[in-house]
Amino acid sequence: MERYLVDYLRDNAKTPLARKYIEMLKVELDWFIYNYGEHISHTHHRSRKHTLKEKIYNQLVIYSALYMHPQKAEKNVLSSIGFPDFKSQVTNLGYNMLTTILQPASYKQVLGNKNLCKMLKYKNDAIAHGCFNDICNETFFNQIDQCRRDMLKLLQAYPIKGVFLFTDEYFESKLLIDVAQDLNIPTFDFLHGLPGIYTQDVDSHTDYLMVWGQKIKQNYIDAGFNADKIIVVGNSKYGSYEKHKNLRNSIEDILVIPTSSIQWHQHSWEEPLLIDRSMIVLYLYEVQHVLERLNVKHARFQATSVT
């Protein structure tokens, strides 16, 4: 018996179009199943409230996509990575950085149109307040396919040398990758953290995977990735890190960083993992027991968020 709903729907899709977009919407469909309850961080609730600053920023992005025309240059790149230092590095190399309404890295230089804005609003409203079938239906799949054609035309108007992404898991990332592949534009997935898992279901959709260090690269190779497609680029925040610095190792000032006992989407297409919400509490009690045995009277706690 099949145990994973989205995999079952993909395998039994009635049309090739449905199969394609069910696969693209995998993470977002998972949210209807797993993303619930007060144990989910407020920043990742399906129906989380946006700040005034976020609302204004989103309106600026939409306005830019509808009414402002990004400048053209001989060398353009498309990016969903919004870090200022990343943009400055791209600019210093002589490239003009564009972004899209799908995953805007800025409210300037945004490629988009009315159809794309409408589709994204419908999807986001459905995820926040709707139900599973609001985005898992033929009508919405056809709407996505029209937007795919629109994005294809928008990218064709620019000589784009590469597409830079911060993930390949989300629907918007997969749609950009799909369009870029049609246009033979190389795609690059920049890891924005230490990987929680190493599986070919994740970080395998782009042409190249950009990682922080050689150890991470080797872990991906061990998981079956093509070594030639993995590039070590380092981490700009730790460019001046003292590799041979003596690190403190004592119980004078203990910081407890727990693992997460939740997940709001299934990373792989395999049988879903059962997440026990009590594990984080059990973990803290066990840490407390060990520290008390060491006669530690005080420790700091730092909550984590896993995306």
Side-chain angles (χ1 to χ4, degrees):
M1 175 182 173
E2 174 65 61
R3 301 295 298 273
Y4 180 32
L5 172 61
V6 181
D7 192 26
Y8 175 84
L9 293 174
R10 179 186 66 164
D11 290 345
N12 292 276
K14 294 181 179 179
T15 65
L17 192 72
R19 178 183 174 86
K20 175 178 181 175
Y21 291 123
I22 287 173
E23 184 163 341
M24 277 195 190
L25 288 161
K26 175 188 182 301
V27 166
E28 289 75 11
L29 291 172
D30 275 351
W31 292 343
F32 288 96
I33 305 169
Y34 306 112
N35 190 335
Y36 67 93
E38 293 304 315
H39 59 296
I40 298 290
S41 168
H42 73 91
T43 59
H44 289 81
H45 276 182
R46 284 176 49 212
S47 57
R48 79 176 183 91
K49 296 184 182 300
H50 293 272
T51 65
L52 178 60
K53 183 178 180 180
E54 288 174 325
K55 291 178 181 178
I56 292 173
Y57 181 84
N58 289 336
Q59 289 303 310
L60 288 172
V61 170
I62 292 171
Y63 180 85
S64 181
L66 294 179
Y67 303 110
M68 306 295 288
H69 298 289
Q71 69 179 65
K72 292 184 179 181
E74 291 185 7
K75 297 192 300 181
N76 304 283
V77 294
L78 196 67
S79 177
S80 66
I81 302 171
F83 299 124
D85 58 337
F86 181 82
K87 182 177 179 180
S88 64
Q89 289 175 19
V90 170
T91 303
N92 290 339
L93 291 172
Y95 290 91
N96 177 41
M97 198 175 95
L98 308 173
T99 190
T100 74
I101 190 68
L102 291 173
Q103 278 183 335
S106 168
Y107 61 86
K108 299 178 181 179
Q109 298 274 79
V110 183
L111 292 172
N113 65 14
K114 188 175 181 180
N115 281 341
L116 286 156
C117 292
K118 183 178 179 182
M119 182 271 290
L120 288 173
K121 184 179 187 309
Y122 174 84
K123 178 190 74 73
N124 293 334
D125 287 347
I127 289 172
H129 308 293
C131 64
F132 190 92
N133 286 338
D134 287 338
I135 65 172
C136 189
N137 63 77
E138 290 286 347
T139 300
F140 185 54
F141 297 153
N142 284 316
Q143 185 180 6
I144 296 173
D145 208 49
Q146 177 58 59
C147 288
R148 181 192 179 282
R149 292 192 291 271
D150 288 355
M151 183 56 67
L152 190 70
K153 291 179 182 178
L154 288 169
L155 296 192
Q156 284 175 324
Y158 292 81
I160 295 175
K161 304 298 183 180
V163 174
F164 301 152
L165 305 165
F166 63 86
T167 180
D168 72 347
E169 279 201 271
Y170 297 142
F171 159 71
E172 291 84 357
S173 301
K174 292 176 181 176
L175 189 58
L176 284 172
I177 292 168
D178 189 57
V179 171
Q181 288 174 342
D182 257 19
L183 297 174
N184 294 315
I185 301 172
T187 53
F188 303 81
D189 179 8
F190 285 77
L191 289 190
H192 59 286
L194 295 174
I197 57 172
Y198 293 92
T199 169
Q200 293 193 46
D201 287 333
V202 182
D203 300 322
S204 60
H205 299 92
T206 53
D207 296 309
Y208 298 96
L209 178 61
M210 323 300 275
V211 303
W212 285 0
Q214 188 62 42
K215 293 287 187 180
I216 297 177
K217 176 176 180 175
Q218 187 58 52
N219 287 341
Y220 276 108
I221 294 172
D222 294 342
F225 281 66
N226 182 348
D228 295 334
K229 300 292 185 179
I230 306 174
I231 302 173
V232 176
V233 294
N235 184 326
S236 59
K237 289 187 177 181
Y238 300 104
S240 58
Y241 179 73
E242 297 180 35
K243 295 183 179 180
H244 303 293
K245 183 178 180 179
N246 291 326
L247 300 178
R248 178 175 57 84
N249 183 13
S250 73
I251 57 174
E252 298 300 319
D253 184 15
I254 294 176
L255 175 64
V256 179
I257 303 178
T259 57
S260 176
S261 61
I262 60 172
Q263 67 177 30
W264 40 81
H265 58 257
Q266 173 79 3
H267 289 289
S268 73
W269 290 91
E270 300 170 357
E271 182 173 327
L273 297 173
L274 177 62
I275 301 301
D276 185 350
R277 290 165 56 182
S278 73
M279 287 300 295
I280 185 62
V281 179
L282 173 60
Y283 172 83
L284 291 175
Y285 274 121
E286 290 183 334
V287 169
Q288 178 184 355
H289 178 69
V290 171
L291 293 179
E292 286 175 343
R293 288 171 54 190
L294 296 172
N295 202 32
V296 174
K297 304 297 184 183
H298 176 268
R300 293 179 292 129
F301 172 76
Q302 175 65 57
T304 59
S305 175
V306 178
T307 57

Short mmCIF file of all heavy atoms in Angstrom, two decimals, residues 10-41:
data_model
loop_
_atom_site.label_atom_id
_atom_site.label_comp_id
_atom_site.label_asym_id
_atom_site.label_seq_id
_atom_site.Cartn_x
_atom_site.Cartn_y
_atom_site.Cartn_z
N ARG A 10 0.77 11.80 -7.87
CA ARG A 10 1.68 11.98 -9.00
C ARG A 10 1.68 10.74 -9.89
O ARG A 10 1.54 10.83 -11.12
CB ARG A 10 3.09 12.28 -8.52
CG ARG A 10 4.11 12.44 -9.65
CD ARG A 10 5.52 12.61 -9.13
NE ARG A 10 6.02 11.42 -8.45
CZ ARG A 10 7.30 11.20 -8.18
NH1 ARG A 10 8.22 12.09 -8.50
NH2 ARG A 10 7.68 10.10 -7.55
N ASP A 11 1.81 9.58 -9.28
CA ASP A 11 1.89 8.33 -10.05
C ASP A 11 0.58 8.00 -10.76
O ASP A 11 0.59 7.30 -11.78
CB ASP A 11 2.29 7.17 -9.14
CG ASP A 11 3.73 7.27 -8.67
OD1 ASP A 11 4.48 8.07 -9.26
OD2 ASP A 11 4.08 6.57 -7.71
N ASN A 12 -0.53 8.49 -10.23
CA ASN A 12 -1.85 8.18 -10.81
C ASN A 12 -2.50 9.39 -11.47
O ASN A 12 -3.71 9.41 -11.67
CB ASN A 12 -2.76 7.62 -9.72
CG ASN A 12 -2.32 6.25 -9.24
OD1 ASN A 12 -2.63 5.23 -9.84
ND2 ASN A 12 -1.56 6.24 -8.15
N ALA A 13 -1.69 10.39 -11.82
CA ALA A 13 -2.22 11.58 -12.49
C ALA A 13 -2.84 11.20 -13.83
O ALA A 13 -2.34 10.34 -14.55
CB ALA A 13 -1.10 12.60 -12.69
N LYS A 14 -3.93 11.86 -14.17
CA LYS A 14 -4.68 11.51 -15.38
C LYS A 14 -4.03 12.06 -16.64
O LYS A 14 -4.28 11.55 -17.74
CB LYS A 14 -6.12 12.01 -15.26
CG LYS A 14 -6.91 11.31 -14.16
CD LYS A 14 -8.34 11.83 -14.09
CE LYS A 14 -9.13 11.12 -12.99
NZ LYS A 14 -10.52 11.63 -12.90
N THR A 15 -3.22 13.09 -16.52
CA THR A 15 -2.59 13.70 -17.69
C THR A 15 -1.11 13.98 -17.38
O THR A 15 -0.73 14.16 -16.21
CB THR A 15 -3.26 15.03 -18.07
OG1 THR A 15 -3.07 15.99 -17.01
CG2 THR A 15 -4.76 14.84 -18.32
N PRO A 16 -0.27 14.06 -18.41
CA PRO A 16 1.13 14.42 -18.19
C PRO A 16 1.28 15.80 -17.54
O PRO A 16 2.18 16.02 -16.73
CB PRO A 16 1.72 14.41 -19.60
CG PRO A 16 0.84 13.48 -20.38
CD PRO A 16 -0.54 13.69 -19.83
N LEU A 17 0.36 16.72 -17.89
CA LEU A 17 0.40 18.07 -17.31
C LEU A 17 0.16 18.00 -15.80
O LEU A 17 0.86 18.66 -15.02
CB LEU A 17 -0.66 18.95 -17.97
CG LEU A 17 -0.56 20.46 -17.68
CD1 LEU A 17 0.64 21.06 -18.42
CD2 LEU A 17 -1.84 21.17 -18.11
N ALA A 18 -0.81 17.19 -15.39
CA ALA A 18 -1.11 17.06 -13.96
C ALA A 18 0.08 16.45 -13.23
O ALA A 18 0.45 16.91 -12.14
CB ALA A 18 -2.36 16.20 -13.78
N ARG A 19 0.69 15.42 -13.81
CA ARG A 19 1.85 14.79 -13.16
C ARG A 19 2.98 15.80 -12.98
O ARG A 19 3.62 15.87 -11.92
CB ARG A 19 2.33 13.61 -14.00
CG ARG A 19 3.57 12.93 -13.41
CD ARG A 19 4.07 11.79 -14.30
NE ARG A 19 5.32 11.26 -13.78
CZ ARG A 19 5.43 10.32 -12.86
NH1 ARG A 19 4.34 9.77 -12.35
NH2 ARG A 19 6.61 9.90 -12.44
N LYS A 20 3.22 16.60 -14.03
CA LYS A 20 4.31 17.57 -13.99
C LYS A 20 4.10 18.59 -12.87
O LYS A 20 5.03 18.86 -12.09
CB LYS A 20 4.39 18.29 -15.33
CG LYS A 20 5.41 19.41 -15.38
CD LYS A 20 5.45 20.05 -16.76
CE LYS A 20 6.49 21.15 -16.82
NZ LYS A 20 6.63 21.72 -18.18
N TYR A 21 2.89 19.12 -12.75
CA TYR A 21 2.68 20.20 -11.78
C TYR A 21 2.40 19.69 -10.37
O TYR A 21 2.64 20.41 -9.40
CB TYR A 21 1.60 21.15 -12.29
CG TYR A 21 2.10 21.93 -13.48
CD1 TYR A 21 1.44 21.91 -14.71
CD2 TYR A 21 3.28 22.67 -13.40
CE1 TYR A 21 1.93 22.59 -15.81
CE2 TYR A 21 3.79 23.36 -14.49
CZ TYR A 21 3.11 23.32 -15.69
OH TYR A 21 3.62 23.99 -16.77
N ILE A 22 1.94 18.46 -10.22
CA ILE A 22 1.88 17.86 -8.89
C ILE A 22 3.29 17.72 -8.34
O ILE A 22 3.56 17.99 -7.17
CB ILE A 22 1.16 16.50 -8.94
CG1 ILE A 22 -0.35 16.70 -9.14
CG2 ILE A 22 1.42 15.71 -7.65
CD1 ILE A 22 -1.12 15.43 -9.36
N GLU A 23 4.21 17.31 -9.20
CA GLU A 23 5.61 17.19 -8.78
C GLU A 23 6.19 18.55 -8.42
O GLU A 23 6.91 18.69 -7.44
CB GLU A 23 6.44 16.52 -9.87
CG GLU A 23 7.87 16.28 -9.46
CD GLU A 23 8.59 15.27 -10.34
OE1 GLU A 23 7.92 14.50 -11.04
OE2 GLU A 23 9.83 15.27 -10.33
N MET A 24 5.87 19.58 -9.22
CA MET A 24 6.37 20.92 -8.91
C MET A 24 5.80 21.45 -7.60
O MET A 24 6.47 22.18 -6.86
CB MET A 24 6.01 21.89 -10.04
CG MET A 24 6.96 21.89 -11.20
SD MET A 24 6.70 23.34 -12.23
CE MET A 24 7.73 22.92 -13.64
N LEU A 25 4.55 21.09 -7.29
CA LEU A 25 3.87 21.60 -6.11
C LEU A 25 4.01 20.69 -4.90
O LEU A 25 3.28 20.85 -3.91
CB LEU A 25 2.38 21.81 -6.42
CG LEU A 25 2.03 22.97 -7.35
CD1 LEU A 25 0.65 22.79 -7.95
CD2 LEU A 25 2.11 24.29 -6.59
N LYS A 26 4.94 19.77 -4.96
CA LYS A 26 5.10 18.77 -3.90
C LYS A 26 5.16 19.39 -2.50
O LYS A 26 4.42 19.02 -1.60
CB LYS A 26 6.36 17.95 -4.15
CG LYS A 26 6.69 16.96 -3.04
CD LYS A 26 8.05 16.33 -3.25
CE LYS A 26 8.36 15.31 -2.17
NZ LYS A 26 8.35 15.89 -0.82
N VAL A 27 6.07 20.33 -2.29
CA VAL A 27 6.26 20.94 -0.97
C VAL A 27 5.00 21.68 -0.53
O VAL A 27 4.55 21.55 0.61
CB VAL A 27 7.46 21.89 -0.99
CG1 VAL A 27 7.47 22.77 0.25
CG2 VAL A 27 8.75 21.09 -1.06
N GLU A 28 4.42 22.45 -1.45
CA GLU A 28 3.24 23.23 -1.11
C GLU A 28 2.04 22.32 -0.78
O GLU A 28 1.25 22.64 0.13
CB GLU A 28 2.88 24.17 -2.26
CG GLU A 28 3.85 25.33 -2.44
CD GLU A 28 5.18 24.93 -3.08
OE1 GLU A 28 5.29 23.79 -3.58
OE2 GLU A 28 6.11 25.76 -3.11
N LEU A 29 1.90 21.21 -1.47
CA LEU A 29 0.84 20.25 -1.14
C LEU A 29 1.10 19.59 0.21
O LEU A 29 0.16 19.32 0.97
CB LEU A 29 0.72 19.19 -2.24
CG LEU A 29 0.18 19.69 -3.59
CD1 LEU A 29 0.30 18.61 -4.66
CD2 LEU A 29 -1.27 20.14 -3.46
N ASP A 30 2.36 19.37 0.51
CA ASP A 30 2.71 18.81 1.82
C ASP A 30 2.25 19.71 2.96
O ASP A 30 1.89 19.24 4.04
CB ASP A 30 4.23 18.62 1.93
CG ASP A 30 4.70 17.30 1.35
OD1 ASP A 30 3.86 16.45 1.02
OD2 ASP A 30 5.93 17.12 1.24
N TRP A 31 2.30 21.02 2.74
CA TRP A 31 1.94 21.95 3.82
C TRP A 31 0.49 21.74 4.28
O TRP A 31 0.18 21.95 5.45
CB TRP A 31 2.14 23.39 3.36
CG TRP A 31 3.59 23.75 3.17
CD1 TRP A 31 4.66 23.07 3.66
CD2 TRP A 31 4.12 24.85 2.43
NE1 TRP A 31 5.83 23.68 3.29
CE2 TRP A 31 5.54 24.78 2.52
CE3 TRP A 31 3.55 25.89 1.71
CZ2 TRP A 31 6.36 25.72 1.92
CZ3 TRP A 31 4.38 26.82 1.10
CH2 TRP A 31 5.77 26.74 1.21
N PHE A 32 -0.38 21.34 3.37
CA PHE A 32 -1.77 21.08 3.76
C PHE A 32 -1.86 19.87 4.68
O PHE A 32 -2.81 19.73 5.44
CB PHE A 32 -2.63 20.84 2.52
CG PHE A 32 -2.90 22.07 1.71
CD1 PHE A 32 -2.13 22.38 0.60
CD2 PHE A 32 -3.92 22.95 2.07
CE1 PHE A 32 -2.36 23.52 -0.14
CE2 PHE A 32 -4.16 24.10 1.33
CZ PHE A 32 -3.38 24.39 0.22
N ILE A 33 -0.88 18.98 4.60
CA ILE A 33 -0.90 17.75 5.39
C ILE A 33 -0.17 17.93 6.72
O ILE A 33 -0.67 17.53 7.78
CB ILE A 33 -0.24 16.60 4.59
CG1 ILE A 33 -0.91 16.43 3.23
CG2 ILE A 33 -0.30 15.30 5.38
CD1 ILE A 33 -0.15 15.52 2.28
N TYR A 34 1.02 18.55 6.69
CA TYR A 34 1.91 18.56 7.84
C TYR A 34 2.01 19.90 8.57
O TYR A 34 2.43 19.93 9.73
CB TYR A 34 3.32 18.14 7.43
CG TYR A 34 3.38 16.82 6.70
CD1 TYR A 34 3.72 16.75 5.35
CD2 TYR A 34 3.09 15.63 7.37
CE1 TYR A 34 3.77 15.54 4.68
CE2 TYR A 34 3.14 14.41 6.70
CZ TYR A 34 3.47 14.37 5.36
OH TYR A 34 3.52 13.18 4.69
N ASN A 35 1.69 20.99 7.90
CA ASN A 35 1.90 22.31 8.49
C ASN A 35 0.64 22.74 9.26
O ASN A 35 -0.24 23.39 8.71
CB ASN A 35 2.24 23.33 7.41
CG ASN A 35 2.70 24.66 7.99
OD1 ASN A 35 2.35 25.02 9.11
ND2 ASN A 35 3.48 25.40 7.23
N TYR A 36 0.58 22.37 10.53
CA TYR A 36 -0.57 22.71 11.35
C TYR A 36 -0.13 22.80 12.81
O TYR A 36 0.89 22.24 13.20
CB TYR A 36 -1.67 21.65 11.20
CG TYR A 36 -1.26 20.30 11.78
CD1 TYR A 36 -1.56 19.97 13.09
CD2 TYR A 36 -0.52 19.40 11.03
CE1 TYR A 36 -1.16 18.76 13.63
CE2 TYR A 36 -0.11 18.19 11.55
CZ TYR A 36 -0.44 17.87 12.87
OH TYR A 36 -0.02 16.68 13.41
N GLY A 37 -0.92 23.51 13.62
CA GLY A 37 -0.69 23.52 15.05
C GLY A 37 0.25 24.60 15.53
O GLY A 37 1.03 25.16 14.77
N GLU A 38 0.18 24.86 16.83
CA GLU A 38 0.99 25.91 17.45
C GLU A 38 2.45 25.52 17.59
O GLU A 38 3.28 26.35 17.97
CB GLU A 38 0.40 26.25 18.83
CG GLU A 38 -0.96 26.91 18.77
CD GLU A 38 -0.96 28.17 17.92
OE1 GLU A 38 -0.02 28.98 18.07
OE2 GLU A 38 -1.87 28.33 17.09
N HIS A 39 2.78 24.25 17.33
CA HIS A 39 4.18 23.84 17.42
C HIS A 39 4.99 24.30 16.22
O HIS A 39 6.21 24.23 16.24
CB HIS A 39 4.28 22.31 17.55
CG HIS A 39 3.68 21.57 16.41
ND1 HIS A 39 2.33 21.61 16.12
CD2 HIS A 39 4.22 20.75 15.46
CE1 HIS A 39 2.07 20.87 15.07
NE2 HIS A 39 3.20 20.34 14.64
N ILE A 40 4.30 24.78 15.17
CA ILE A 40 4.99 25.34 14.00
C ILE A 40 5.35 26.79 14.29
O ILE A 40 4.53 27.56 14.80
CB ILE A 40 4.10 25.28 12.75
CG1 ILE A 40 3.76 23.82 12.39
CG2 ILE A 40 4.76 25.98 11.57
CD1 ILE A 40 4.90 23.02 11.87
N SER A 41 6.57 27.18 13.98
CA SER A 41 7.00 28.57 14.17
C SER A 41 6.04 29.52 13.46
O SER A 41 5.59 29.25 12.35
CB SER A 41 8.42 28.75 13.63
OG SER A 41 8.75 30.12 13.54
#
